[in-house]
PDB file of all heavy atoms in Angstrom:
ATOM      1  N   GLU A  12      54.430  33.790 -21.483  1.00 42.00           N
ATOM      2  CA  GLU A  12      53.051  34.292 -21.339  1.00 42.00           C
ATOM      3  C   GLU A  12      52.760  34.722 -19.892  1.00 42.00           C
ATOM      4  O   GLU A  12      51.949  35.704 -19.801  1.00 42.00           O
ATOM      5  CB  GLU A  12      52.234  33.065 -21.617  1.00 42.00           C
ATOM      6  CG  GLU A  12      50.659  33.415 -21.901  1.00 42.00           C
ATOM      7  CD  GLU A  12      49.827  32.179 -22.410  1.00 42.00           C
ATOM      8  OE1 GLU A  12      50.114  31.735 -23.521  1.00 42.00           O
ATOM      9  OE2 GLU A  12      49.043  31.638 -21.616  1.00 42.00           O
ATOM     10  N   GLU A  13      53.417  34.193 -18.969  1.00 42.00           N
ATOM     11  CA  GLU A  13      53.123  34.506 -17.591  1.00 42.00           C
ATOM     12  C   GLU A  13      53.673  35.983 -17.396  1.00 42.00           C
ATOM     13  O   GLU A  13      52.940  36.685 -16.702  1.00 42.00           O
ATOM     14  CB  GLU A  13      53.842  33.498 -16.688  1.00 42.00           C
ATOM     15  CG  GLU A  13      53.830  33.908 -15.208  1.00 42.00           C
ATOM     16  CD  GLU A  13      52.479  33.662 -14.558  1.00 42.00           C
ATOM     17  OE1 GLU A  13      51.493  33.662 -15.365  1.00 42.00           O
ATOM     18  OE2 GLU A  13      52.387  33.614 -13.399  1.00 42.00           O
ATOM     19  N   ALA A  14      54.764  36.159 -17.973  1.00 40.00           N
ATOM     20  CA  ALA A  14      55.340  37.591 -17.748  1.00 40.00           C
ATOM     21  C   ALA A  14      54.500  38.652 -18.413  1.00 40.00           C
ATOM     22  O   ALA A  14      54.328  39.765 -18.001  1.00 40.00           O
ATOM     23  CB  ALA A  14      56.787  37.610 -18.332  1.00 40.00           C
ATOM     24  N   GLN A  15      53.909  38.183 -19.536  1.00 45.00           N
ATOM     25  CA  GLN A  15      53.152  39.272 -20.306  1.00 45.00           C
ATOM     26  C   GLN A  15      51.759  39.492 -19.605  1.00 45.00           C
ATOM     27  O   GLN A  15      51.203  40.461 -19.758  1.00 45.00           O
ATOM     28  CB  GLN A  15      52.726  38.707 -21.607  1.00 45.00           C
ATOM     29  CG  GLN A  15      54.001  38.751 -22.580  1.00 45.00           C
ATOM     30  CD  GLN A  15      53.853  37.989 -23.909  1.00 45.00           C
ATOM     31  OE1 GLN A  15      52.743  37.609 -24.168  1.00 45.00           O
ATOM     32  NE2 GLN A  15      54.822  37.823 -24.688  1.00 45.00           N
ATOM     33  N   SER A  16      51.129  38.412 -18.876  1.00 43.00           N
ATOM     34  CA  SER A  16      49.823  38.605 -18.197  1.00 43.00           C
ATOM     35  C   SER A  16      49.991  38.302 -16.738  1.00 43.00           C
ATOM     36  O   SER A  16      49.585  37.160 -16.225  1.00 43.00           O
ATOM     37  CB  SER A  16      48.819  37.694 -18.926  1.00 43.00           C
ATOM     38  OG  SER A  16      48.770  37.878 -20.307  1.00 43.00           O
ATOM     39  N   PRO A  17      50.696  39.181 -15.989  1.00 45.00           N
ATOM     40  CA  PRO A  17      50.876  38.793 -14.634  1.00 45.00           C
ATOM     41  C   PRO A  17      49.655  39.011 -13.872  1.00 45.00           C
ATOM     42  O   PRO A  17      48.809  39.742 -14.223  1.00 45.00           O
ATOM     43  CB  PRO A  17      51.946  39.861 -14.208  1.00 45.00           C
ATOM     44  CG  PRO A  17      51.698  41.057 -15.033  1.00 45.00           C
ATOM     45  CD  PRO A  17      51.327  40.406 -16.446  1.00 45.00           C
ATOM     46  N   VAL A  18      49.426  38.066 -12.880  1.00 43.00           N
ATOM     47  CA  VAL A  18      48.313  38.205 -11.958  1.00 43.00           C
ATOM     48  C   VAL A  18      48.737  38.488 -10.441  1.00 43.00           C
ATOM     49  O   VAL A  18      49.657  37.595 -10.016  1.00 43.00           O
ATOM     50  CB  VAL A  18      47.504  36.732 -12.034  1.00 43.00           C
ATOM     51  CG1 VAL A  18      46.275  36.818 -10.961  1.00 43.00           C
ATOM     52  CG2 VAL A  18      47.046  36.506 -13.334  1.00 43.00           C
ATOM     53  N   PRO A  19      48.411  39.422  -9.916  1.00 45.00           N
ATOM     54  CA  PRO A  19      48.915  39.809  -8.568  1.00 45.00           C
ATOM     55  C   PRO A  19      48.567  38.661  -7.688  1.00 45.00           C
ATOM     56  O   PRO A  19      47.585  38.061  -7.645  1.00 45.00           O
ATOM     57  CB  PRO A  19      48.026  41.068  -8.289  1.00 45.00           C
ATOM     58  CG  PRO A  19      47.660  41.521  -9.635  1.00 45.00           C
ATOM     59  CD  PRO A  19      47.499  40.449 -10.516  1.00 45.00           C
ATOM     60  N   GLU A  20      49.630  38.337  -6.835  1.00 46.00           N
ATOM     61  CA  GLU A  20      49.592  37.110  -5.930  1.00 46.00           C
ATOM     62  C   GLU A  20      48.305  37.329  -4.983  1.00 46.00           C
ATOM     63  O   GLU A  20      47.682  36.272  -4.588  1.00 46.00           O
ATOM     64  CB  GLU A  20      50.945  36.954  -5.191  1.00 46.00           C
ATOM     65  CG  GLU A  20      50.926  35.704  -4.405  1.00 46.00           C
ATOM     66  CD  GLU A  20      52.397  35.581  -3.684  1.00 46.00           C
ATOM     67  OE1 GLU A  20      53.264  36.294  -4.276  1.00 46.00           O
ATOM     68  OE2 GLU A  20      52.437  34.736  -2.766  1.00 46.00           O
ATOM     69  N   ASP A  21      48.201  38.500  -4.425  1.00 47.00           N
ATOM     70  CA  ASP A  21      47.291  38.616  -3.429  1.00 47.00           C
ATOM     71  C   ASP A  21      45.704  38.573  -4.082  1.00 47.00           C
ATOM     72  O   ASP A  21      44.755  37.900  -3.555  1.00 47.00           O
ATOM     73  CB  ASP A  21      47.160  39.952  -2.722  1.00 47.00           C
ATOM     74  CG  ASP A  21      47.323  41.142  -3.731  1.00 47.00           C
ATOM     75  OD1 ASP A  21      47.537  40.943  -4.891  1.00 47.00           O
ATOM     76  OD2 ASP A  21      47.072  42.361  -3.199  1.00 47.00           O
ATOM     77  N   GLN A  22      45.656  38.958  -5.264  1.00 48.00           N
ATOM     78  CA  GLN A  22      44.450  38.897  -6.018  1.00 48.00           C
ATOM     79  C   GLN A  22      44.035  37.431  -6.210  1.00 48.00           C
ATOM     80  O   GLN A  22      42.818  36.994  -6.150  1.00 48.00           O
ATOM     81  CB  GLN A  22      44.281  39.631  -7.317  1.00 48.00           C
ATOM     82  CG  GLN A  22      43.161  39.535  -8.130  1.00 48.00           C
ATOM     83  CD  GLN A  22      43.201  40.346  -9.439  1.00 48.00           C
ATOM     84  OE1 GLN A  22      43.973  41.317  -9.575  1.00 48.00           O
ATOM     85  NE2 GLN A  22      42.420  39.913 -10.340  1.00 48.00           N
ATOM     86  N   SER A  23      45.068  36.521  -6.634  1.00 47.00           N
ATOM     87  CA  SER A  23      44.817  35.157  -6.903  1.00 47.00           C
ATOM     88  C   SER A  23      44.387  34.524  -5.651  1.00 47.00           C
ATOM     89  O   SER A  23      43.426  33.543  -5.799  1.00 47.00           O
ATOM     90  CB  SER A  23      46.063  34.523  -7.506  1.00 47.00           C
ATOM     91  OG  SER A  23      45.995  33.068  -7.668  1.00 47.00           O
ATOM     92  N   ASP A  24      44.963  34.750  -4.494  1.00 51.00           N
ATOM     93  CA  ASP A  24      44.630  34.097  -3.264  1.00 51.00           C
ATOM     94  C   ASP A  24      43.177  34.361  -2.957  1.00 51.00           C
ATOM     95  O   ASP A  24      42.338  33.518  -2.550  1.00 51.00           O
ATOM     96  CB  ASP A  24      45.531  34.435  -2.190  1.00 51.00           C
ATOM     97  CG  ASP A  24      46.898  33.953  -2.482  1.00 51.00           C
ATOM     98  OD1 ASP A  24      47.034  33.006  -3.206  1.00 51.00           O
ATOM     99  OD2 ASP A  24      47.866  34.373  -1.719  1.00 51.00           O
ATOM    100  N   ASP A  25      42.787  35.735  -3.073  1.00 52.00           N
ATOM    101  CA  ASP A  25      41.519  36.114  -2.772  1.00 52.00           C
ATOM    102  C   ASP A  25      40.482  35.392  -3.609  1.00 52.00           C
ATOM    103  O   ASP A  25      39.391  34.977  -3.141  1.00 52.00           O
ATOM    104  CB  ASP A  25      41.375  37.649  -2.889  1.00 52.00           C
ATOM    105  CG  ASP A  25      42.077  38.428  -1.862  1.00 52.00           C
ATOM    106  OD1 ASP A  25      42.423  37.791  -0.895  1.00 52.00           O
ATOM    107  OD2 ASP A  25      42.238  39.631  -1.949  1.00 52.00           O
ATOM    108  N   SER A  26      40.798  35.260  -4.915  1.00 50.00           N
ATOM    109  CA  SER A  26      39.857  34.534  -5.811  1.00 50.00           C
ATOM    110  C   SER A  26      39.682  33.113  -5.548  1.00 50.00           C
ATOM    111  O   SER A  26      38.555  32.616  -5.520  1.00 50.00           O
ATOM    112  CB  SER A  26      40.398  34.712  -7.270  1.00 50.00           C
ATOM    113  OG  SER A  26      39.529  34.018  -8.165  1.00 50.00           O
ATOM    114  N   ASP A  27      40.738  32.389  -5.125  1.00 54.00           N
ATOM    115  CA  ASP A  27      40.670  31.037  -4.803  1.00 54.00           C
ATOM    116  C   ASP A  27      39.840  30.757  -3.563  1.00 54.00           C
ATOM    117  O   ASP A  27      39.081  29.985  -3.395  1.00 54.00           O
ATOM    118  CB  ASP A  27      42.087  30.493  -4.509  1.00 54.00           C
ATOM    119  CG  ASP A  27      42.849  30.366  -5.790  1.00 54.00           C
ATOM    120  OD1 ASP A  27      42.127  30.350  -6.947  1.00 54.00           O
ATOM    121  OD2 ASP A  27      44.115  30.236  -5.868  1.00 54.00           O
ATOM    122  N   GLU A  28      40.074  31.708  -2.612  1.00 51.00           N
ATOM    123  CA  GLU A  28      39.289  31.703  -1.306  1.00 51.00           C
ATOM    124  C   GLU A  28      37.864  31.855  -1.574  1.00 51.00           C
ATOM    125  O   GLU A  28      36.992  31.201  -0.870  1.00 51.00           O
ATOM    126  CB  GLU A  28      39.837  32.636  -0.265  1.00 51.00           C
ATOM    127  CG  GLU A  28      41.282  32.230   0.279  1.00 51.00           C
ATOM    128  CD  GLU A  28      41.778  33.493   1.181  1.00 51.00           C
ATOM    129  OE1 GLU A  28      40.991  34.365   1.394  1.00 51.00           O
ATOM    130  OE2 GLU A  28      42.874  33.341   1.712  1.00 51.00           O
ATOM    131  N   GLY A  29      37.533  32.863  -2.398  1.00 51.00           N
ATOM    132  CA  GLY A  29      36.213  33.084  -2.769  1.00 51.00           C
ATOM    133  C   GLY A  29      35.521  32.007  -3.442  1.00 51.00           C
ATOM    134  O   GLY A  29      34.316  31.568  -3.117  1.00 51.00           O
ATOM    135  N   GLU A  30      36.240  31.286  -4.331  1.00 51.00           N
ATOM    136  CA  GLU A  30      35.578  30.213  -5.076  1.00 51.00           C
ATOM    137  C   GLU A  30      35.544  28.961  -4.078  1.00 51.00           C
ATOM    138  O   GLU A  30      34.417  28.357  -4.062  1.00 51.00           O
ATOM    139  CB  GLU A  30      36.559  29.695  -6.172  1.00 51.00           C
ATOM    140  CG  GLU A  30      36.675  30.744  -7.350  1.00 51.00           C
ATOM    141  CD  GLU A  30      37.623  30.239  -8.400  1.00 51.00           C
ATOM    142  OE1 GLU A  30      38.222  29.198  -8.315  1.00 51.00           O
ATOM    143  OE2 GLU A  30      37.742  30.978  -9.331  1.00 51.00           O
ATOM    144  N   ALA A  31      36.407  28.815  -3.171  1.00 50.00           N
ATOM    145  CA  ALA A  31      36.232  27.753  -2.278  1.00 50.00           C
ATOM    146  C   ALA A  31      35.116  27.976  -1.296  1.00 50.00           C
ATOM    147  O   ALA A  31      34.295  27.027  -0.944  1.00 50.00           O
ATOM    148  CB  ALA A  31      37.643  27.601  -1.386  1.00 50.00           C
TER     149      ALA A  31
END
Side-chain angles (χ1 to χ4, degrees):
E12 186 173 296
E13 174 73 337
Q15 294 172 2
S16 304
V18 178
E20 187 174 340
D21 56 344
Q22 179 179 333
S23 176
D24 290 344
D25 290 344
S26 176
D27 291 343
E28 289 176 4
E30 290 176 4

